[in-house]
Amino acid sequence: MESSDEKTVEKCRVHLRPGTLHDAALATLHLLPCEVLVSGPAPVERFFTPAMRQGPDGLEVSFRGRGLRGEEVVVPPGLVGYVMAMEEKGEMLVGKDFSEDSWNDEREEQELAEPPEALERDFDQFIGATASFSRFTLWGLETIPGPDAKVRGALTWPSLAAAIHAQVPED
Amino acid sequence: MDCGDRARARQHVFLLPEYLKDASKKMKSGLLFVKLVNPCSGEGTIYLFNMCLQQLFEIKVFKEKHHSWFINQSVQSGGLLHFATPMDPLFLLLHYLRKADKEGTFQPLDQVVVDDMFPNCILLLKLPDLEKLLRHVTEEKEIDKKKYYKYSKEKTIKWLEKKVRQTVSALKTNNINVSARVQAATFFFGDPVSSDKEEDYIRYAHGLISDYIPKELSDDLSKYLKLPEPSASLPNPPSKKVKLSDEPVEAKEDYTKFNRKDLKTEKKNSKMTAAQKALAKVDKSGMKSIDSFFGTKNKKVGKI
């Protein structure tokens, strides 16, 4: 039983709904230097945002009584930031119907762009962008994360990846 | 524990290439995450396909201890940042070509790229210009207008060498990587010249490429590039390792196991020394998180 479940996962495709990529509203993101163990709603606008101010060395705020320093980090050129969430089972069916309705007008155009065979299967899952961003605020404890912070290094990855994966010339 | 699913719904922070946004206007579907074999580790890893533009993307995860996101009016623990970057599909095809080579004959591609574990590998066959790509790593024959391929190690090593050279020049022009290194050297040793030795670049690039090929091929490439053996250059402090090990007793008894463990940690360490902060996020620990991302207890799906 269990092995057949695993099998389903391997076969599973998680479809990213393309429509959500251009509809996504802008979101405000902060990357905190601490682990909040539980995910869920939080009154960020009530406690965090009003406490933010521009100090001599960048932005200042406090969280749980600790002083944080931060600065805006821009998403590297050529990239867009997205927040994505998996669709729940029930929601997925609704979403599917809905998206089909809303696309009706352009049906002909789509069919041309559509890949030749159906890619969706019954056991597949769906994910959609719920928000987008082009910058986020990076916070450090007491000081702004320096130039050798891991996050900053990670943001240079796409340019390096491009070189590794570019086609090489034939002899 | 009694939080509703809603509140716990996990949010994933992604960076995607901008052109996916524009392309998405014209598609209704065709962007899909699938699990495929990782050509380096052989384990399952998530990749993103764009079936409309016929591109393959790899997903890397930035993951560091003690981070969380505030996303609008919510908190998301973990502080993960996912990157989708274009990937050369040849690395994945190579995995199958090498496997098929054990049979030693020319085979059509649809018999080479088969996988019980990761059946989605057939999507690879839909990528454009495969024939052109395969020329870099295979010998081919054409019979009755059907192409048959056979893995060629010689060609592959040459192809990989080109990849290394290409990466070296990108490392040199990529200000951030190189300057971070020069800076550190200038600050701490006052000798920036020693930091941009050609060999260092080649070793670094070799390390990057090695994340996409099996160990065996990586070793062959290392020899071809005349890089010194990494294990020989590192002194081996056994006392320290024993202390680091969780079960020193077991390690003492089983030397093969101990050695293997040793080599593994050493290899990682030597990679890190290559001013590899930029790559720290490329480490495999990120892979686990993405597995959990998609492996979300896929309780049997009702109707099939």
Side-chain angles (χ1 to χ4, degrees):
Chain A
M1 211 56 211
E2 221 164 74
S3 66
S4 79
D5 274 7
E6 264 166 44
K7 205 88 188 178
T8 317
V9 175
E10 307 301 345
K11 277 187 196 162
C12 178
R13 298 171 178 179
V14 178
H15 297 261
L16 170 57
R17 296 209 187 273
T20 61
L21 293 184
H22 52 88
D23 296 343
L26 276 182
T28 309
L29 276 80
H30 299 273
L31 187 56
L32 302 176
C34 61
E35 173 88 67
V36 181
L37 290 171
V38 180
S39 304
V44 176
E45 215 159 53
R46 198 166 136 221
F47 293 105
F48 192 81
T49 320
M52 268 171 57
R53 55 198 85 253
Q54 187 69 50
D57 342 294
L59 296 164
E60 299 175 2
V61 79
S62 68
F63 181 61
R64 293 175 175 171
R66 312 281 294 266
L68 306 185
R69 295 283 179 283
E71 71 177 12
E72 292 264 296
V73 171
V74 178
V75 166
L79 296 173
V80 186
Y82 286 104
V83 180
M84 299 203 230
M86 297 291 280
E87 291 177 9
E88 315 227 343
K89 276 287 144 201
E91 191 183 351
M92 165 192 139
L93 291 174
V94 177
K96 211 169 176 179
D97 290 345
F98 176 75
S99 73
E100 247 151 35
D101 280 353
S102 64
W103 279 98
N104 257 346
D105 312 339
E106 294 163 65
R107 182 155 288 256
E108 255 172 68
E109 192 193 334
Q110 286 157 33
E111 246 138 54
L112 288 174
E114 200 85 331
E117 82 284 55
L119 291 160
E120 289 179 25
R121 288 98 50 103
D122 275 351
F123 53 88
D124 285 353
Q125 292 178 299
F126 292 81
I127 193 169
T130 53
S132 68
F133 63 96
S134 57
R135 55 186 64 229
F136 62 90
T137 314
L138 175 63
W139 294 100
L141 189 60
E142 313 288 351
T143 54
I144 297 175
D148 54 354
K150 258 181 137 188
V151 202
R152 296 189 200 273
L155 291 169
T156 68
W157 167 245
S159 59
L160 206 50
I164 297 169
H165 295 285
Q167 292 309 318
V168 304
E170 275 187 79
D171 288 323
Chain B
M1 310 296 125
D2 49 352
C3 290
D5 271 359
R6 198 79 237 160
R8 294 177 147 253
R10 207 184 311 175
Q11 302 182 84
H12 310 279
V13 181
F14 265 87
L15 293 183
L16 299 182
E18 206 164 20
Y19 55 79
L20 282 184
K21 179 182 177 177
D22 303 324
S24 68
K25 281 176 192 157
K26 289 197 188 114
M27 10 168 182
K28 201 184 96 193
S29 70
L31 282 174
L32 53 163
F33 293 98
V34 295
K35 204 183 250 189
L36 298 175
V37 69
N38 181 309
C40 175
S41 67
E43 289 165 14
T45 304
I46 300 293
Y47 295 88
L48 172 67
F49 268 100
N50 178 346
M51 296 314 292
C52 290
L53 298 179
Q54 300 184 303
Q55 288 161 317
L56 174 70
F57 300 88
E58 75 172 324
I59 312 290
K60 294 265 190 213
V61 190
F62 161 77
K63 185 187 186 187
E64 193 181 23
K65 265 192 180 172
H66 311 304
H67 283 294
S68 316
W69 286 108
F70 275 162
I71 303 167
N72 286 337
Q73 305 306 307
S74 71
V75 60
Q76 174 60 53
S77 67
L80 303 186
L81 180 57
H82 300 75
F83 291 81
T85 52
M87 162 128 181
D88 187 341
L90 202 43
F91 287 116
L92 277 167
L93 291 166
L94 203 52
H95 169 86
Y96 293 105
L97 287 161
R98 282 173 47 96
K99 229 165 79 180
D101 189 49
K102 309 237 153 73
E103 287 151 49
T105 51
F106 284 83
Q107 292 184 64
L109 202 56
D110 52 6
Q111 279 174 35
V112 170
V113 185
V114 283
D115 199 327
D116 291 340
M117 277 282 278
F118 306 105
N120 281 312
C121 70
I122 52 163
L123 293 170
L124 286 169
L125 299 175
K126 299 186 197 304
L127 295 169
D129 297 328
L130 282 183
E131 290 190 9
K132 219 173 121 196
L133 283 181
L134 287 167
R135 253 173 249 156
H136 289 296
V137 299
T138 61
E139 305 288 345
E140 63 176 59
K141 269 185 189 170
E142 195 174 324
I143 303 166
D144 293 339
K145 286 189 182 151
K146 190 161 170 126
K147 297 261 178 149
Y148 296 81
Y149 299 92
K150 188 178 185 309
Y151 169 66
S152 158
K153 187 172 146 186
E154 296 68 41
K155 288 178 104 176
T156 301
I157 293 286
K158 279 188 189 140
W159 172 69
L160 288 170
E161 192 214 359
K162 284 185 199 163
K163 283 273 183 193
V164 168
R165 302 283 167 211
Q166 178 167 298
T167 308
V168 164
S169 60
L171 284 171
K172 286 179 179 170
T173 50
N174 185 332
N175 305 324
I176 306 139
N177 271 311
V178 176
S179 73
R181 212 159 168 219
V182 170
Q183 229 173 33
T186 325
F187 287 156
F188 298 113
F189 308 110
D191 183 17
V193 186
S194 68
S195 69
D196 45 12
K197 275 198 304 194
E198 185 70 11
E199 190 191 292
D200 289 345
Y201 279 111
I202 296 173
R203 190 198 308 278
Y204 190 102
H206 172 264
L208 286 170
I209 304 285
S210 294
D211 277 346
Y212 299 95
I213 52 176
K215 171 97 176 48
E216 199 191 330
L217 202 51
S218 164
D219 292 345
D220 289 341
L221 178 61
S222 176
K223 272 181 214 137
Y224 188 81
L225 294 168
K226 300 193 177 70
L227 287 172
E229 296 269 324
S231 51
S233 64
L234 280 168
N236 200 2
S239 56
K240 259 187 191 168
K241 293 283 159 153
V242 173
K243 266 182 213 161
L244 283 172
S245 165
D246 287 329
E247 291 149 327
V249 183
E250 188 202 331
K252 265 177 203 155
E253 279 166 6
D254 183 352
Y255 281 93
T256 45
K257 203 170 191 176
F258 178 56
N259 286 339
R260 213 178 302 134
K261 224 183 237 170
D262 229 2
L263 275 175
K264 221 177 173 184
T265 43
E266 235 171 56
K267 203 190 161 203
K268 247 187 196 156
N269 290 344
S270 69
K271 262 193 188 170
M272 292 306 282
T273 56
Q276 208 146 345
K277 272 157 196 156
L279 296 174
K281 80 288 147 199
V282 183
D283 69 2
K284 270 96 206 171
S285 60
M287 291 308 164
K288 270 177 203 152
S289 74
I290 202 132
D291 285 354
S292 60
F293 162 26
F294 288 96
T296 41
K297 295 280 152 49
N298 196 27
K299 302 161 210 138
K300 264 213 303 187
V301 186
K303 38 168 192 171
I304 288 183

